[in-house]
Amino acid sequence: MHSRFAALLILLTVSLAFLASGQKKTVEKVPIRHTSPASGPEMYRAYCASCHGTAGKGDGPAASALKMAPADLTMLAKLNNGTFPRNEVYEAISGQHSIPAHGSKDMPVWGTLFRSVDPHESISMLRINNLTDYIASLQAK
């Protein structure tokens, strides 16, 4: 079954590549790295930090190569009257809620890829819950 998802596994984790002509920044797609579904911080570093930055401020090394600037994840609660929008974050990660930078609802990036790494729905949900909890911990005070 893993071979069926080989193409999807290549879709994920982005890294920066500089082209020789003018140091133009591009996003290079590399295979998804398996992480512990129990570790929100580990998943964040592997899957989110390249765009959102290690502190979640939207300043990751791939950010400048993207068409849309990544969200400052530390400001989500502040922008939502002091309440972390847990459901919206969960839905954005899972692909239930369309975020232009994450793909359309028809082609959600993270939910699909998490299901390809761990085809059991309960493990995918654990990943999304723990990643959402970690993002909640990044909120500015």
Side-chain angles (χ1 to χ4, degrees):
M1 186 169 223
H2 285 4
S3 62
R4 277 180 74 177
F5 296 106
L8 286 175
L9 295 178
I10 294 174
L11 257 178
L12 202 45
T13 312
V14 292
S15 63
L16 216 47
F18 293 92
L19 298 175
S21 62
Q23 295 290 315
K24 182 178 177 185
K25 294 180 181 181
T26 61
V27 175
E28 178 183 329
K29 295 174 183 173
V30 297
I32 187 172
R33 197 179 109 223
H34 186 74
T35 59
S36 168
S39 177
E42 180 184 353
M43 287 186 292
Y44 181 86
R45 284 188 304 273
Y47 308 136
C48 310
S50 58
C51 294
H52 290 284
T54 55
K57 296 195 173 283
D59 59 353
S64 62
L66 302 175
K67 291 178 184 175
M68 287 185 72
D72 179 344
L73 299 177
T74 68
M75 299 301 290
L76 298 175
K78 187 172 185 176
L79 296 172
N80 194 47
N81 297 318
T83 302
F84 179 69
R86 188 180 204 311
N87 289 340
E88 287 88 348
V89 172
Y90 182 96
E91 290 174 359
I93 295 168
S94 70
Q96 296 171 28
H97 177 73
S98 179
I99 300 290
H102 289 196
S104 69
K105 185 167 176 38
D106 295 329
M107 192 172 201
V109 174
W110 296 107
T112 301
L113 287 167
F114 286 160
R115 283 185 289 280
S116 74
V117 172
D118 297 302
H120 297 87
E121 186 67 22
S122 61
I123 300 296
S124 296
M125 289 173 61
L126 177 65
R127 283 184 176 283
I128 296 167
N129 274 318
N130 288 335
L131 188 52
T132 300
D133 288 346
Y134 181 71
I135 293 168
S137 77
L138 298 175
Q139 299 310 292
K141 303 292 178 201

